[in-house]
Amino acid sequence: MSAIVVVLAVLFTCAIGYAGYRVYRKPRIIASIKRVDSLHPVPRKLSNDERAAIERYFQVNKYLQQTSPQATPLPESGSLALTAQSDNIYAVTHAITRYGLASDAPHKWRYFLDSTEVHLPPLWEQYIADDNYVELIKTDSIPLVISLNGHSLVDYLYAAPLVAPSAPQLMPNSSMREQENEQVELLDIRKETPQEHAVNRTAGIREAALFSLVLILMFLSLLAPVSVVPWLAAAAVIFAVWGGWHLFRRPSERSRQDIHCLRGTPKRWGLFGESDQGRMSSVSLGIIDLIYPPHWQPFIDADLGKKTDVDIYVNRQVVRQGRFLSLHHEMINFPVQRYLKNLILLCSSALVLCLLQAYVPLALPLKLSMAWLQGAQHVQAIDVDTMEKADLRIGDALNAKGNGMCLVDSGPPNGPGTPFMPFDCSGIYWNKAAPLPLPDSDTVEKAEALLTTAKLQLHPVQSTDGKINPGLASAIQKSGMTLLDNFSDIVLKTDALCHDEGDCLRLKSALVNLANGKNWPAIVKRAHNGSLRGINVLLRPVSAANLENLIANATSSFIVSETRSAINTLNSPSPGGFLIRSDEGNTLVNHPQPSGSLYDYSGIEQWRELQRRSSMLLHTPFQAQGIITHLGTDANGTRHISLRSEPDMVTIWRFIGTSLLLLVVVVSIVVNGVLLIKRLRKSRHRTRDIQRYYESCFNPDLPEARLK
């Protein structure tokens, strides 16, 4: 995971550096040239011959303007003249667009490369093709074309008469169209409005992808090593700022395209090809084929054959026509609903939320972050009274010292491999009540007495009491047999332990067989009467081992039951006080916690180990220190306090970052989900609403469409 994060951080850093280098190295185009795609300065300067030819062309053109009313008109920006920046020659391969002027002059055209108006010598109209190789320079007004498709201005004045012919001869491959009867008047060239610019604006997918990447980087920073976190955080901030600037910035003057405001009479040609069965492309304004938005089709006929103002882009896309048809007003009343960015942000936020729930604990960071925002305090307590007076809250730092009882766990082990530890010293009961007494049980004492007498008789030591003849005892030992010299005592102690009828059935049956009795009550009665006293029972080794096992199993069940009952009794401390626990399972006592499970001991040893641990842990010194993560009170009035070790600065920032990221993701899901639903609904009815609006405009008698 760490290696992947490091690789991602390096790749992001390289991408940011490369993007910055490209932005820094981006060539700046002279303002007078404006913006023309594929326009780059050629690696040469203006030659002396070209400069002389240009100056002579300026003089001749100025002379013709003064002497001939039919000369080529100058642009509105003023006269042509060279400047200090005219030495740079720009070259471009592009189509040339021309517009006719409302004039009686033989050359009444204005020429454009995209949205850039250029000055073209009038006799070069015949050389205009679909794609033109053009060389131009900057003047004090508009760029001047000094070369067109191999024709240079150096040869222009020497090969052409001073007065241009009345009608230019068009070449077969020319992209220009013959003038129609109707004149088209160019009223103005303006920049598109922000609303018109928003129609063709991108759907915000790139910005949404950047914000999604920011969310993923923030998530990775919660899991990454400390050395990589600053790089991921820096990359996330850069991408967030970059994406936010592109998403919310207003379009600059440079980015908005030029719109040509024309006045003329739109007409329909009435001719349709097999590949174009619609009527939209058949409308022309003079020689310009107009391209309308598809939803305008029912309304364009109202302006056909009438003198109409039409605003178009250089690519002949219509943005406004007549009084009502206008993309600007459409965007104001019926904005374009771009919902793809909301869908992307919704999906990425949901993904990050799932990753947070799967890989990052959320409960603790949220609790501590909220507590730290509200203010935390440090509490020190050396007795229960001080703790009771303190106003404890989640997020406070607690340091408590005193004597208490380790938490008693009376439940079963968590798993088959989990040792049974009756005391859990990661939790401490702390109150003013007297310590609980040590575990005690009569049943365990009876079981211990039965085990003791059985052990003494089944495994005798060298005895000098004279009950058995020494020779007989030696003979029995040599034969491997076992002699029970006090069988009556075993019967009586078994009856004292297993006094209920259903207890120790197998052991009772074995003892009845050994005594040759009818049933268990009969041999118990004989034992009480003394009839079994003095009776010795001789056992084979196998029978002796079986009897020992039966006694061990019978006593073990009683001891385990009494041990569990004693633990349950210890697990009922006095009401009130505090139960302080460590969330991390750290021991709170001042000495090592006893190791080993009670299951490691058998029989009476379990009880003795419980007593030993109880004497040590029922009243023991402890120290609890950490951040409070949970507060609660149970039915006995005992206040439960959960502690966690005080986090370092890195952990604190991870907690705060987790809370902030979770908040951002949840808000993003809610906001983008609501916007997605609203925009989908509005987008579905947008075209219908626009057409209803236009119907009310063109047909005032109809009810006016309600703007939504």
Side-chain angles (χ1 to χ4, degrees):
M1 182 67 182
S2 301
I4 296 176
V5 172
V6 171
V7 171
L8 288 175
V10 172
L11 291 177
F12 291 147
T13 305
C14 295
I16 294 172
Y18 178 73
Y21 172 77
R22 291 298 301 270
V23 171
Y24 175 78
R25 296 292 298 173
K26 184 177 179 181
R28 268 61 176 176
I29 300 175
I30 301 175
S32 63
I33 300 297
K34 300 182 181 178
R35 182 179 61 88
V36 178
D37 295 338
S38 306
L39 184 61
H40 302 285
V42 296
R44 73 180 182 90
K45 297 292 184 178
L46 195 65
S47 65
N48 294 331
D49 293 341
E50 290 172 332
R51 181 179 292 274
I54 292 171
E55 292 177 350
R56 185 169 181 269
Y57 173 76
F58 288 166
Q59 294 174 0
V60 172
N61 195 63
K62 183 177 180 181
Y63 172 77
L64 293 176
Q65 287 289 334
Q66 296 174 353
T67 59
S68 176
Q70 295 183 347
T72 304
L74 288 174
E76 297 179 359
S77 56
S79 61
L80 297 173
L82 296 178
T83 65
Q85 297 180 353
S86 298
D87 288 339
N88 296 323
I89 299 177
Y90 293 84
V92 63
T93 300
H94 207 279
I96 296 177
T97 306
R98 69 178 183 179
Y99 296 103
L101 300 176
S103 172
D104 295 332
H107 303 288
K108 47 185 175 297
W109 304 107
R110 294 177 70 171
Y111 303 92
F112 292 86
L113 296 176
D114 271 351
S115 59
T116 303
E117 183 178 2
V118 297
H119 180 86
L120 182 71
L123 294 184
W124 281 357
E125 292 180 357
Q126 54 186 324
Y127 305 125
I128 296 177
D130 292 336
D131 289 325
N132 305 277
Y133 179 75
V134 181
E135 290 184 346
L136 57 157
I137 63 172
K138 177 182 179 293
T139 68
D140 60 348
S141 56
I142 62 175
L144 170 67
V145 177
I146 63 172
S147 175
L148 174 65
N149 296 330
H151 301 277
S152 174
L153 198 61
V154 175
D155 304 325
Y156 179 81
L157 295 178
Y158 298 101
L162 293 180
V163 180
S166 60
Q169 301 294 326
L170 297 180
M171 297 297 291
N173 62 345
S174 174
S175 65
M176 311 305 291
R177 181 180 296 169
E178 290 291 343
Q179 177 189 359
E180 300 295 335
N181 294 330
E182 293 293 336
Q183 298 294 332
V184 178
E185 182 180 358
L186 178 62
L187 301 178
D188 187 20
I189 299 179
R190 64 174 178 87
K191 290 292 185 179
E192 60 182 352
T193 63
Q195 290 76 16
E196 293 167 344
H197 179 80
V199 175
N200 300 318
R201 190 177 179 181
T202 59
I205 297 178
R206 180 182 61 182
E207 291 78 8
L210 282 177
F211 283 118
S212 301
L213 181 60
V214 169
L215 294 178
I216 295 176
L217 288 177
M218 292 174 64
F219 167 75
L220 292 177
S221 66
L222 301 177
L223 305 177
V226 179
S227 58
V228 185
V229 171
W231 294 94
L232 294 175
V237 171
I238 292 175
F239 286 138
V241 172
W242 189 16
W245 182 74
H246 279 280
L247 185 62
F248 299 107
R249 69 184 179 95
R250 291 180 59 85
S252 62
E253 189 74 14
R254 185 185 183 90
S255 63
R256 288 187 287 169
Q257 301 183 44
D258 288 341
I259 292 180
H260 294 74
C261 303
L262 307 177
R263 177 174 294 169
T265 304
K267 292 184 178 181
R268 190 184 303 280
W269 287 87
L271 300 176
F272 312 101
E274 293 181 357
S275 61
D276 185 13
Q277 299 297 329
R279 305 172 59 198
M280 301 295 293
S281 61
S282 62
V283 178
S284 297
L285 186 67
I287 64 170
I288 304 172
D289 294 331
L290 302 179
I291 302 176
Y292 290 93
H295 58 278
W296 285 10
Q297 183 172 2
F299 311 103
I300 61 175
D301 291 341
D303 296 321
L304 296 182
K306 302 177 183 178
K307 203 73 170 180
T308 307
D309 292 341
V310 181
D311 294 355
I312 64 173
Y313 287 110
V314 176
N315 60 1
R316 299 177 286 114
Q317 289 281 350
V318 180
V319 297
R320 187 183 68 85
Q321 177 173 299
R323 294 178 54 193
F324 306 115
L325 298 177
S326 173
L327 294 181
H328 174 85
H329 294 134
E330 287 183 13
M331 286 298 296
I332 293 177
N333 298 325
F334 310 95
V336 176
Q337 304 298 323
R338 296 185 172 91
Y339 54 84
L340 289 179
K341 59 183 178 182
N342 300 112
L343 178 61
I344 294 174
L345 288 174
L346 177 63
C347 295
S348 60
S349 300
L351 173 62
V352 174
L353 180 60
C354 294
L355 293 175
L356 283 174
Q357 292 179 343
Y359 295 100
V360 180
L362 300 178
L364 183 60
L366 288 176
K367 287 182 180 180
L368 296 184
S369 299
M370 294 298 297
W372 291 333
L373 289 176
Q374 297 174 359
Q377 59 181 344
H378 292 268
V379 179
Q380 292 189 359
I382 58 175
D383 53 36
V384 179
D385 293 333
T386 305
M387 285 282 290
E388 291 177 347
K389 295 177 182 178
D391 184 16
L392 300 178
R393 295 177 300 178
I394 294 177
D396 292 345
L398 175 64
N399 186 2
K401 294 181 180 179
N403 292 320
M405 183 184 75
C406 288
L407 177 65
V408 179
D409 185 9
S410 61
N414 295 331
T418 304
F420 174 51
M421 305 289 292
F423 293 97
D424 180 9
C425 290
S426 64
I428 295 291
Y429 279 107
W430 194 24
N431 51 40
K432 294 182 289 186
L436 295 176
L438 296 179
D440 190 16
S441 173
D442 293 339
T443 301
V444 174
E445 292 178 357
K446 295 177 181 179
E448 186 177 8
L450 176 60
L451 287 173
T452 301
T453 187
K455 181 179 180 181
L456 291 176
Q457 297 185 55
L458 293 174
H459 303 282
V461 295
Q462 191 66 29
S463 176
T464 59
D465 55 3
K467 292 182 180 181
I468 303 177
N469 187 289
L472 179 60
S474 176
I476 293 174
Q477 184 177 7
K478 290 181 180 179
S479 65
M481 305 289 283
T482 300
L483 178 65
L484 299 179
D485 59 353
N486 195 359
F487 181 74
S488 174
D489 190 38
I490 295 178
V491 173
L492 292 176
K493 285 182 170 55
T494 300
D495 181 65
L497 177 65
C498 309
H499 57 274
D500 291 339
E501 184 177 355
D503 294 339
C504 312
L505 295 180
R506 296 182 61 189
L507 176 60
K508 292 178 179 179
S509 177
L511 294 177
V512 169
N513 292 334
L514 292 176
N516 292 325
K518 296 181 179 180
N519 50 41
W520 176 251
I523 66 170
V524 170
K525 183 177 180 181
R526 291 172 57 188
H528 282 292
N529 294 334
S531 301
L532 294 178
R533 187 173 301 173
I535 297 178
N536 298 323
V537 178
L538 190 63
L539 300 177
R540 295 185 179 89
V542 175
S543 299
N546 290 336
L547 179 62
E548 185 176 15
N549 290 335
L550 290 175
I551 294 174
N553 292 334
T555 55
S556 177
S557 62
F558 284 98
I559 293 175
V560 170
S561 176
E562 289 298 309
T563 301
R564 181 67 64 184
S565 177
I567 293 174
N568 290 334
T569 302
L570 295 176
N571 194 33
S572 301
S574 302
F578 298 89
L579 173 57
I580 305 174
R581 305 192 65 169
S582 172
D583 282 345
E584 301 162 309
N586 299 329
T587 180
L588 304 179
V589 297
N590 297 327
H591 52 77
Q593 187 173 353
S595 60
S597 169
L598 283 187
Y599 291 149
D600 297 338
Y601 304 92
S602 60
I604 196 63
E605 294 178 353
Q606 285 190 14
W607 179 260
R608 292 171 180 170
E609 179 64 18
L610 175 63
Q611 287 184 320
R612 187 187 71 82
R613 296 186 184 185
S614 298
S615 64
M616 181 174 55
L617 301 177
L618 286 179
H619 192 67
T620 179
F622 74 93
Q623 180 177 8
Q625 185 175 4
I627 302 295
I628 299 177
T629 59
H630 174 74
L631 290 173
T633 304
D634 59 16
N636 293 327
T638 302
R639 297 182 62 183
H640 292 239
I641 302 175
S642 298
L643 297 180
R644 184 182 181 89
S645 301
E646 294 190 23
D648 53 10
M649 289 303 299
V650 175
T651 306
I652 291 176
W653 282 112
R654 287 188 189 272
F655 284 171
I656 296 176
T658 300
S659 302
L660 291 178
L661 180 58
L662 180 62
L663 178 62
V664 170
V665 168
V666 172
V667 171
S668 176
I669 291 176
V670 174
V671 172
N672 287 286
V674 173
L675 291 178
L676 178 62
I677 296 174
K678 291 178 61 177
R679 289 177 175 175
L680 280 174
R681 294 179 60 185
K682 290 184 178 180
S683 179
R684 184 179 303 175
H685 305 294
R686 181 175 182 268
T687 302
R688 183 194 63 187
D689 295 339
I690 292 175
Q691 291 185 344
R692 287 181 178 178
Y693 171 74
Y694 285 144
E695 287 176 359
S696 67
C697 293
F698 285 97
N699 301 286
D701 296 335
L702 296 177
E704 185 177 357
R706 180 178 300 174
L707 301 182
K708 296 184 180 180

